[in-house]
Amino acid sequence: MPTFDAEVTVRRTRFMKQSSGWAVIEAVDDDGKPVVLVGPLIHLEERDRARVLGTWVDDSRYGPQVKVSEAHPLPPSDAESVKALLRRVKHVGPKRADRLLEMYGASGAIDALDRDPQAAFAAAGLRRGRADQAAESWNSMRAIRRLHMLLAPHGLAYLATRIHNEYGPSAHTIVSGQPYELTKVFGVGFHLADRIARGSGVPRSSPDRAAAGVLHLLTEAERAGSTCMPSDALLAGLRDLLGPDCGAPMTEAFIYELVADGALERESDWVYRKQTAELEAELARRVAEMLIGEPSQKLRYPDPAAVMQTGLEPNRAQLEAVHNAFTKRLSLITGGPGTGKTMSIRAIAGCAVAQGAKVVLVAPTGRAAIRMGEASGVRARTVHSALAWIPGEGPEHDEQDPLPCDLLIVDESSMANLELMVTLLRAVGPSTSVVLVGDADQLAPVGAGKPFAELVASGRVPTVTLTHIFRQAAGSMIVQGAHAIRRGAAPHFTPSSEMRRDLFMIERLNPFQAREEIVSLVVERLPRHYGLDPVKDIQVFAPVYRGELGIDALNEALREALNPGGETVMGGRLRIGDKLMMTGRNLHEMGLMNGTVLRLVDEITSSDGGDGEAALVLMGDEATFRLPPEETDRLRLAYACSVHRGQGIELPVAVIVAHPAAGAFFLRREMLYTALTRAKVATVVVGTQETVARAARTADTGRRHGRLAERLARGTDG
């Protein structure tokens, strides 16, 4: 293939993807000849000049393109390009950009600003405070330009802004001298840092490389739900990651060195990241303290008549749950759909309120909190709202300022990972009782640990398992199907006369026909039949991202049908009106959690924002958010999503992809069970019954390593 090596000027960005830095750009070379560039180009903007290296390819759909390997930004030379650059500086609009060009000329403006930006901006008419802020903005842009030059040869220039935001003025030194430090930056994993290190001449045998590899493996284990790894498995993974003959230290002695340096913690054969070990130990300690503590003095065990006044006609298990709530500081309620968890919450909350106790109800997601409040008659909030999370500071309620309540009830507790559970229990005062409610059979939460399921399995915490399916729920095919899946059996899709038909199977073996069926269901038939909003009230769940029935293909097809004319933003990646989901690490300070479903309603640019800051405006269930540009790479289309990311969703209709061409191997019992129970009105499965049956009988055998129960046993036995 012919090579390409030329200086170009960017005309327009057709498409870009923040998470990977990949973009499609229209440009012209110095002879004015148009060229389409494809590759790691997200750092280039309209009117930017760059030296581009790559190879010509002939795409079957889009014709000749240059597949870019490197794109080195060049300083602007003509007046319009310099003016465009100046307008990116904070507080510098068109008039002041023109003024700077008049004073210094196109060839001298950048040099003048590099020499003394405060003086140049002051001379252009900015008052002292704004001139200082403009100078800070210019210095930041200059630092990012230097990073571009350093990262471009590795195809990683798109990471420059993210790295600069993390390290500030020292970013250039970090990249060139300590590249593995970059693994602490969101989106810069071990493999990217390793590419930069290779380009900087760091040897494969470097102990820093090995240390970064260990932390990478532990971090990946946490993303898969573990809190720790056995040392032999960790070292085996390290050899696979680094290469067995690279010469890097990969021994038990090296692990002990990292422990001594404070990066890791080791207990017997188990190795943790230090922060995670501390969280797990803290949770075990807090639970142990609550198990020997007295319940709130405001709570008295209610008689059966008081319980029935709340509308609950309790069975024996529910009476035990009520008893635990009023006589123990910590208790658990677990059970499948239709077993009375919500009515138990209502009874416990109602009886406590009737006794004059102050009750706080919380759930991890906005929708769960709304449903909890409607069912109980007591206002419910999200965990982050209840904790009064302050941007940039953390939760207002903690050990020093606990939640002002006598009883705290947490619904959907199975969704809380280790970090969230610890943060919540820190805010529990010494005279507050806690009831955790959830379904231990659901998918484990996103992130390290599965504390609710581990507490249930430990046998140390007073626990009631609800198994009786109440008459109203027993008539639901969804509920009966879910309980069948829990037993490892396939759900029945043929209704009997006494069953409510809310579970459907549509068999489509051809994957293209299956995708067309899903689009037709979501866009037309289901909204028309049930009177629903196709974006707000229907969610598609799929096991994998790639393929004709993968999440990516489904999202593109559904967006084209549901939001074809939405105004494009973020280089065409998103459209106003899109259904989106927050991914990656939780933004606690904003109350935006991994898995939050949002609607994109507006884009505010730096020129029209009231406070001068650019942002995307997003609408959630309970609030509207302004997301700064540097965080927007966390947004993903969410017309379709994975079950893991959507496990907090509860809405009228769910459409589940269960098809041999859609990652049938990855569709397991817990995933199918969780997806099936997301809907309140109807669940439609598209695919094949054999795929459904296979998933139901195949439990998730992936090991999640955690030692909460072991720590708890040690604490309570000691």
Side-chain angles (χ1 to χ4, degrees), residues 327-351:
T327 61
K328 311 291 184 184
R329 272 207 71 205
L330 177 65
S331 62
L332 312 176
I333 303 173
T334 183
T339 56
K341 296 190 300 294
T342 299
M343 286 303 297
S344 299
I345 291 173
R346 178 174 179 172
I348 293 168
C351 289

Side-chain angles (χ1 to χ4, degrees), residues 413-637:
S413 297
S414 48
M415 289 181 57
N417 61 21
L418 177 63
E419 180 188 15
L420 185 59
M421 189 67 79
V422 170
T423 302
L424 183 59
L425 293 188
R426 283 173 183 164
V428 172
S431 61
T432 297
S433 295
V434 177
V435 180
L436 302 178
V437 184
D439 185 347
D441 290 322
Q442 280 194 1
L443 275 175
V446 177
K450 48 178 182 178
F452 181 76
E454 288 185 81
L455 290 174
V456 170
S458 73
R460 299 280 167 170
V461 183
T463 300
V464 169
T465 301
L466 303 177
T467 57
H468 174 73
I469 304 175
F470 284 84
R471 185 172 59 186
Q472 183 177 1
S476 164
M477 290 178 65
I478 291 176
V479 171
Q480 294 291 355
H483 284 275
I485 293 169
R486 291 177 80 192
R487 299 190 300 270
H492 291 292
F493 294 99
T494 303
S496 59
S497 58
E498 67 273 11
M499 298 294 291
R500 182 170 70 255
R501 193 175 189 192
D502 52 10
L503 178 61
F504 303 86
M505 178 79 215
I506 298 177
E507 294 216 52
R508 293 289 184 271
L509 186 57
N510 182 292
F512 297 98
Q513 292 177 356
R515 190 172 69 194
E516 290 176 355
E517 186 75 21
I518 291 167
V519 173
S520 173
L521 284 165
V522 174
V523 176
E524 299 174 0
R525 289 148 57 194
L526 290 170
R528 183 172 62 243
H529 183 75
Y530 291 107
L532 301 174
D533 181 322
V535 176
K536 179 183 176 184
D537 298 327
I538 302 174
Q539 184 62 48
V540 178
F541 295 100
V544 294
Y545 282 85
R546 295 182 179 179
E548 295 298 336
L549 284 170
I551 293 166
D552 292 338
L554 288 168
N555 269 321
E556 289 301 321
L558 289 167
R559 178 164 70 171
E560 284 307 308
L562 292 169
N563 189 26
E567 178 188 348
T568 59
V569 298
M570 304 305 298
R573 187 173 74 88
L574 304 176
R575 298 176 186 173
I576 301 298
D578 270 343
K579 180 179 183 177
L580 304 172
M581 181 177 283
M582 197 70 190
T583 67
R585 66 179 177 84
N586 298 324
L587 297 179
H588 294 291
E589 66 277 8
M590 298 184 68
L592 277 174
M593 307 300 291
N594 187 350
T596 302
V597 177
L598 304 157
R599 193 80 172 264
L600 178 56
V601 295
D602 196 11
E603 179 187 34
I604 297 175
T605 65
S606 57
S607 59
D608 61 15
D611 59 3
E613 298 296 334
L616 291 184
V617 181
L618 301 151
M619 184 175 294
D621 286 327
E622 288 191 310
T624 299
F625 305 91
R626 287 172 59 123
L627 193 68
E630 62 269 19
E631 302 290 357
T632 56
D633 60 342
R634 307 181 195 281
L635 296 172
R636 299 287 183 274
L637 291 178

Side-chain angles (χ1 to χ4, degrees), residues 106-417:
S107 59
I110 293 176
D111 289 340
L113 289 170
D114 283 345
R115 282 194 306 272
D116 193 342
Q118 285 96 336
F121 288 128
L126 286 176
R127 294 191 301 274
R128 180 174 179 179
R130 291 202 160 198
D132 290 343
Q133 291 176 9
E136 184 178 348
S137 174
W138 176 261
N139 287 332
S140 174
M141 289 170 58
R142 181 169 58 178
I144 291 171
R145 291 203 306 272
R146 291 185 67 203
L147 285 174
H148 281 157
M149 301 302 294
L150 191 61
L151 295 167
H154 313 297
L156 300 174
Y158 69 93
L159 295 171
T161 300
R162 202 177 301 168
I163 292 170
H164 180 265
N165 290 342
E166 180 74 17
Y167 295 106
S170 62
H172 190 276
T173 302
I174 293 289
V175 171
S176 56
Q178 301 170 263
Y180 291 108
E181 175 75 14
L182 299 176
T183 55
K184 297 178 182 178
V185 179
F186 177 79
V188 184
F190 172 82
H191 296 290
L192 288 180
D194 206 34
R195 280 172 59 187
I196 296 170
R198 300 278 68 71
S200 301
V202 178
R204 294 177 69 240
S205 59
S206 166
D208 288 344
R209 181 171 184 253
V214 168
L215 291 172
H216 166 76
L217 291 170
L218 289 170
T219 301
E220 289 299 301
E222 289 182 15
R223 286 177 180 164
S226 294
T227 58
C228 55
M229 288 183 70
S231 61
D232 57 350
L234 178 60
L235 289 171
L238 188 62
R239 285 189 287 273
D240 289 341
L241 179 68
L242 304 184
D245 302 321
C246 70
M250 294 182 284
T251 63
E252 292 279 355
F254 181 63
I255 298 296
Y256 279 111
E257 284 181 27
L258 294 178
V259 172
D261 290 341
L264 305 180
E265 191 161 310
R266 179 167 186 160
E267 298 184 19
S268 184
D269 290 331
W270 299 97
V271 183
Y272 294 79
R273 287 194 317 124
K274 187 174 181 62
Q275 304 94 313
T276 306
E278 291 172 349
L279 283 173
E280 190 179 76
E282 180 182 350
L283 180 57
R285 175 177 60 79
R286 290 185 180 278
V287 169
E289 290 173 354
M290 295 184 76
L291 292 178
I292 61 175
E294 294 294 324
S296 170
Q297 294 182 357
K298 294 280 188 73
L299 300 176
R300 304 176 306 279
Y301 178 54
D303 58 46
V307 175
M308 294 185 68
Q309 285 179 359
T310 66
L312 175 68
E313 296 181 13
N315 57 30
R316 182 174 297 179
Q318 288 175 312
L319 277 176
E320 184 184 353
V322 173
H323 176 271
N324 288 344
F326 284 83
T327 61
K328 311 291 184 184
R329 272 207 71 205
L330 177 65
S331 62
L332 312 176
I333 303 173
T334 183
T339 56
K341 296 190 300 294
T342 299
M343 286 303 297
S344 299
I345 291 173
R346 178 174 179 172
I348 293 168
C351 289
V353 170
Q355 294 176 7
K358 184 167 184 181
V359 180
V360 169
L361 272 57
V362 300
T365 67
R367 289 196 180 190
I370 292 170
R371 178 187 55 77
M372 189 185 190
E374 291 172 347
S376 66
V378 178
R379 182 185 175 223
R381 292 175 286 173
T382 64
V383 172
H384 286 78
S385 174
L387 294 177
W389 216 287
I390 301 173
E393 297 182 23
E396 182 176 305
H397 293 295
D398 53 19
E399 300 98 323
Q400 280 69 48
D401 184 13
L403 288 165
C405 63
D406 305 299
L407 176 63
L408 173 67
I409 304 176
V410 186
D411 198 8
E412 298 284 2
S413 297
S414 48
M415 289 181 57
N417 61 21

